[in-house]
Amino acid sequence: MKRVLCFLFIFLLLPGFSVAEHLTPEYYIHSALRRFDTLGACVAVFQNGEVTDVFTYGERRIGGEGITADTVFQVGSISKMIANIGLMQLVEEQHISLETDLSDLLGYPVRNPAYPDDPITLRQLMTHTASIRDGIDYQSALKGNITPLSTALGKRASRHFYSAYKPGQKRMYSNFGGGLIGALIEKLSGQTLDDYMKEHVFDPLGVTAAYQAARLPENVPTADLFRMPEKRIAKTLRDDTQLNTAADPESHYYLTAGKLIISAPDLAKLMIALCDGGIYQDARLLKESTVDEMITVQDDIGSVSCETGNGLFMNILTDTQVEGRTLYGHGGKAYGMICAAYFDPTDRTGVVMLTNGCNDDRMYNGVGLVGRTVLSLCYEHIIDPAIAVRDPFEVQ
């Protein structure tokens, strides 16, 4: 053993040898995931409209099968950004303004009781400035004890569902507000959330995904969620057997806040569509102008009268996360997992990182430290800084 170590030491001292040059991208990513006690993860990198690298790590469950590229994860609040693709499709199709009063869309008065004369608009909802807040009734809905949406937001609404701020005046992140995306999709389309998203968003891109685990094919490998480093089970995805078979906007306002289940490479396809102005290969999901609006900082625009620092259900990260870049996307945190999905449209690059549990309870601008680390590593060691950017609209 001593002879082997001595030989290795001499080898490392040879002229021109660099340890860093002989460490693979996979080594850097695995080391970062291990540092945060990650149970299992999948990282997908895309460049110029295609997934170029996929890295897998760890286990689907304690002592279980290993993570594969087709393993699906629950992705938390990334669900909001993806569901908003569907909602913005309906906004386009039905010529709905972002300044439309939610009352007109839902069919009953939606007002903060403290500001009864101030409309709550679609733009405010999409920027978390609608003055709609989370509360015990929303948490109860997640457990199946559902208050009808018209009661929660309509004529009989109490201050419990609203903040003290005037609509549009202050950004306050709201899972309840994010859940309203699903209710609006069902109201405007007449389909269940999963039916609409499958037909209009997932199938055109060849994506396997669902907001209800019962909608997933039986042969799709799932990653259960764990609290780390305790290795304590937090959620078994296949145990969620609830299945909505008919549209019901009054009840289905809890799915889009955080329940999307998808693989990293499939999520990367959706991110490519957002990165490339609404298209993935030969499929168009949204108009380029719609995506431009989604990634535009919504400070003091229309019915939003404050600084938000973000787009429409879209986080915008300055170079404090990845040096020299502005990234667009969303993070997710729930049941012990941390996820991140971000892109840079200037050179058509992006990274998706999904985990099923890690020791990371710190969030910075909506990104966990493990996500920030993996994003930085991918941009440093995988994505070519001199990449020749191709025109994404050549497919048209």
Side-chain angles (χ1 to χ4, degrees):
M1 183 66 180
K2 290 182 179 178
R3 186 175 301 174
V4 172
L5 291 174
C6 182
F7 176 80
L8 178 61
F9 179 72
I10 293 172
F11 183 70
L12 294 177
L13 292 178
L14 289 175
F17 182 87
S18 168
V19 174
E21 291 175 358
H22 290 75
L23 299 181
T24 64
E26 185 175 51
Y27 170 85
Y28 288 108
I29 291 173
H30 283 199
S31 296
L33 294 169
R34 192 162 42 247
R35 191 190 322 157
F36 290 96
D37 298 312
T38 306
L39 177 61
C42 187
V43 177
V45 177
F46 61 86
Q47 303 177 70
N48 268 328
E50 61 181 311
V51 178
T52 56
D53 302 88
V54 177
F55 304 93
T56 59
Y57 174 89
E59 304 169 325
R60 289 162 49 190
R61 53 192 57 85
I62 302 296
E65 303 91 335
I67 299 292
T68 56
D70 59 347
T71 300
V72 296
F73 299 74
Q74 184 168 336
V75 300
S77 288
I78 294 171
S79 307
K80 301 177 178 69
M81 174 177 62
I82 300 306
N84 203 36
I85 294 174
L87 182 53
M88 292 302 280
Q89 285 181 337
L90 292 163
V91 166
E92 287 182 353
E93 178 186 320
Q94 299 183 24
H95 306 288
I96 297 170
S97 167
L98 294 182
E99 300 304 332
T100 300
D101 188 338
L102 290 185
S103 304
D104 297 332
L105 298 177
L106 291 172
Y108 47 81
V110 178
R111 290 290 187 273
N112 183 326
Y115 303 94
D117 298 326
D118 292 282
I120 295 177
T121 68
L122 196 54
R123 188 187 301 277
Q124 290 167 353
L125 181 71
M126 292 182 177
T127 54
H128 295 284
T129 64
S131 76
I132 295 170
R133 66 181 184 181
D134 300 340
I136 190 170
D137 290 293
Y138 173 72
Q139 299 301 322
S140 295
L142 293 175
K143 300 174 183 178
N145 302 315
I146 296 172
T147 299
L149 189 58
S150 57
T151 300
L153 293 179
K155 291 180 179 179
R156 297 185 300 281
S158 70
R159 294 177 186 270
H160 178 77
F161 292 98
Y162 294 93
S163 76
Y165 292 96
K166 182 179 179 179
Q169 191 177 65
K170 184 177 178 63
R171 185 178 190 271
M172 298 180 66
Y173 191 86
S174 171
N175 282 310
F176 185 17
L180 293 184
I181 305 171
L184 286 166
I185 287 175
E186 294 199 354
K187 180 71 175 181
L188 295 171
S189 72
Q191 295 179 271
T192 66
L193 168 69
D194 273 299
D195 284 339
Y196 181 88
M197 293 297 290
K198 184 176 189 304
E199 179 181 349
H200 297 277
V201 179
F202 300 149
D203 281 355
L205 272 58
V207 164
T208 298
Y211 280 85
Q212 299 174 97
R215 290 293 299 261
L216 293 169
E218 292 184 3
N219 63 340
V220 172
T222 58
D224 293 332
L225 302 175
F226 287 81
R227 306 284 183 184
M228 299 295 286
E230 307 95 301
K231 297 184 177 181
R232 175 168 53 88
I233 184 72
K235 183 176 182 180
T236 304
L237 293 190
R238 289 291 185 183
D239 283 352
D240 191 353
T241 58
Q242 181 177 353
L243 183 61
N244 300 332
T245 58
D248 182 7
E250 281 285 273
S251 302
H252 301 163
Y253 56 84
Y254 56 89
L255 292 167
T256 51
K259 287 185 174 289
L260 178 64
I261 305 170
I262 192 171
S263 72
D266 274 351
L267 179 55
K269 294 176 184 178
L270 292 158
M271 298 302 289
I272 290 169
L274 291 172
C275 180
D276 285 354
I279 59 173
Y280 173 75
Q281 295 182 354
D282 59 351
R284 175 168 287 285
L285 295 183
L286 293 168
K287 297 176 182 177
E288 184 181 7
S289 59
T290 298
V291 176
D292 286 345
E293 186 69 41
M294 293 170 73
I295 66 175
T296 295
V297 179
Q298 296 290 307
D299 294 357
D300 296 305
I301 294 179
S303 55
V304 175
S305 58
C306 65
E307 293 186 2
T308 70
N310 290 274
L312 303 176
F313 286 122
M314 181 85 68
N315 292 343
I316 301 175
L317 309 179
T318 62
D319 61 6
T320 56
Q321 298 292 335
V322 176
E323 186 176 357
R325 290 182 179 271
T326 297
L327 299 179
Y328 303 82
H330 218 292
K333 177 183 178 182
Y335 301 102
M337 67 74 170
I338 293 284
C339 297
Y342 284 89
F343 63 88
D344 184 346
T346 62
D347 62 358
R348 301 182 66 205
T349 60
V351 179
V352 171
M353 180 205 75
L354 306 183
T355 79
N356 63 338
C358 58
N359 184 16
D360 180 14
D361 60 358
R362 294 156 291 184
M363 298 290 282
Y364 301 88
N365 295 325
V367 183
L369 189 55
V370 62
R372 176 181 178 179
T373 301
V374 170
L375 284 170
S376 296
L377 288 173
C378 288
Y379 272 102
E380 181 179 355
H381 296 288
I382 300 171
I383 293 172
D384 183 359
I387 185 172
V389 183
R390 299 194 301 270
D391 184 354
F393 301 105
E394 289 176 356
V395 299
Q396 292 183 323

